[in-house]
Amino acid sequence: MKPLFLFFSIILLPFFVYSQINKTTWVGQNNEYLNISKKTTTLQKDTLFYQYNVVKYVKNNYIILSKTKEEVEFKVKYNIVHITKDTLILAPVGYDLFKLSEPNKLNQYIFVNSMLTYKFVSFYYETSFYNFDNPKGDRLKFILYIDSAKTSRVVIQNESFNETTMYRAPVSKKEYESLIKILSSIDLGSFPEADTVIDKKSPYEILEISYNEQVKNIGGFNRLPAVFADELSCFVCEYIELRANINVPFGWRVWILQRKTQSK
């Protein structure tokens, strides 16, 4: 049995390592946020956000990234010096694409799993908009609240007719992990606070996240990088649809898309 276990361990190790580097958000010593997927890699520091193409990945050996600037493609190899579920150490070979920070004296970037630095408390999202699917133009309000106790509350209100329905339900392990993965994949603290005064006579968004003993009022999806905004807005939309057993009005999706497009 032991030789058989060792055989399968050797076979599955490369897959595990790639899965780990692919599914983890890595936080650098200078608060850089690194996300590596099969096709692209993103790096954020403060409000700066860069995206690179993944040219090649070789097990736990190295990764080659590329960036095109002024029609010239730069390819850079990063040796994977060390990787576990909690730590990733990269060393650039030659030209360095990671210009958002400085490597250490050994010319290495040391990253840790973001889950070691992120403590989630609660998530609150509220939006009010006109339902373009209804010729009467009903004004709808959606509220989604999720906390660290894995409880959730979905509120759907037709403001035109003063009708309110509330749904309470526990958050599944998969849903909870998905939300935490999204929220921890970016440095939320680097983005400025939203205006506290909201004109509730017009369509609006409120996005408030409590974590690491602080409450961050983002304002809305349009204030975040597009990739992150897409993932978070899809999560919110699908969660509301599932809990309330409804199809979210197409008008809301259009409005969200327009706001994100305008923010680019």
Side-chain angles (χ1 to χ4, degrees), residues 12-238:
L12 295 176
L13 180 59
F15 173 78
F16 170 78
V17 172
Y18 182 80
S19 176
Q20 194 63 52
I21 198 173
N22 182 32
K23 294 182 178 180
T24 302
T25 292
W26 305 98
V27 182
Q29 293 179 308
N30 297 301
N31 218 39
E32 315 96 315
Y33 278 65
L34 178 70
N35 287 277
I36 301 173
S37 70
K38 294 180 179 180
K39 295 182 178 180
T40 60
T41 291
T42 60
L43 182 69
Q44 181 217 354
K45 181 173 173 59
D46 299 326
T47 56
L48 298 175
F49 198 83
Y50 291 93
Q51 182 168 299
Y52 313 100
N53 294 321
V54 175
V55 178
K56 188 175 183 180
Y57 174 81
V58 178
K59 295 182 180 179
N60 58 338
N61 196 340
Y62 67 86
I63 186 170
I64 297 178
L65 306 178
S66 74
K67 179 71 175 180
T68 300
K69 183 177 181 180
E70 296 179 355
E71 299 184 354
V72 178
E73 183 182 21
F74 296 90
K75 292 184 180 180
V76 179
K77 178 181 178 182
Y78 288 85
N79 286 328
I80 299 175
V81 180
H82 176 78
I83 180 172
T84 64
K85 67 176 183 177
D86 293 329
T87 308
L88 171 67
I89 302 178
L90 299 177
V93 179
Y95 185 82
D96 187 4
L97 286 174
F98 294 169
K99 296 300 182 181
L100 298 184
S101 61
E102 296 292 331
N104 61 18
K105 295 180 180 179
L106 298 177
N107 195 35
Q108 296 176 345
Y109 289 99
I110 301 177
F111 298 91
V112 298
N113 190 324
S114 66
M115 296 310 296
L116 299 177
T117 63
Y118 184 86
K119 185 178 180 181
F120 172 73
V121 178
S122 65
F123 173 88
Y124 180 88
Y125 177 76
E126 177 181 329
T127 183
S128 178
F129 60 96
Y130 292 103
N131 182 11
F132 303 134
D133 295 353
N134 190 329
K136 296 181 180 180
D138 295 347
R139 180 74 177 263
L140 298 180
K141 178 189 288 186
F142 288 167
I143 295 176
L144 172 60
Y145 172 83
I146 296 176
D147 61 27
S148 58
K150 297 183 180 180
T151 63
S152 74
R153 180 173 68 252
V154 172
V155 178
I156 301 178
Q157 180 179 357
N158 187 320
E159 296 181 298
S160 301
F161 295 93
N162 197 27
E163 298 173 349
T164 302
T165 307
M166 181 182 298
Y167 305 86
R168 297 180 182 272
V171 184
S172 71
K173 179 180 179 181
K174 183 178 180 180
E175 290 169 333
Y176 188 79
E177 290 178 350
S178 178
L179 177 62
I180 301 304
K181 171 64 174 66
I182 295 172
L183 296 179
S184 66
S185 65
I186 196 172
D187 181 11
L188 294 171
S190 66
F191 294 92
E193 288 280 330
D195 296 333
T196 55
V197 179
I198 297 176
D199 179 10
K200 292 198 173 183
K201 293 181 181 179
S202 303
Y204 68 87
E205 281 184 297
I206 299 174
L207 177 57
E208 189 175 275
I209 301 167
S210 179
Y211 70 105
N212 291 6
E213 299 183 352
Q214 65 174 310
V215 179
K216 186 70 176 181
N217 180 9
I218 303 297
F221 297 131
N222 64 312
R223 295 170 61 88
L224 301 169
V227 175
F228 177 78
D230 284 342
E231 292 182 352
L232 190 56
S233 61
C234 284
F235 175 88
V236 170
C237 183
E238 291 173 1

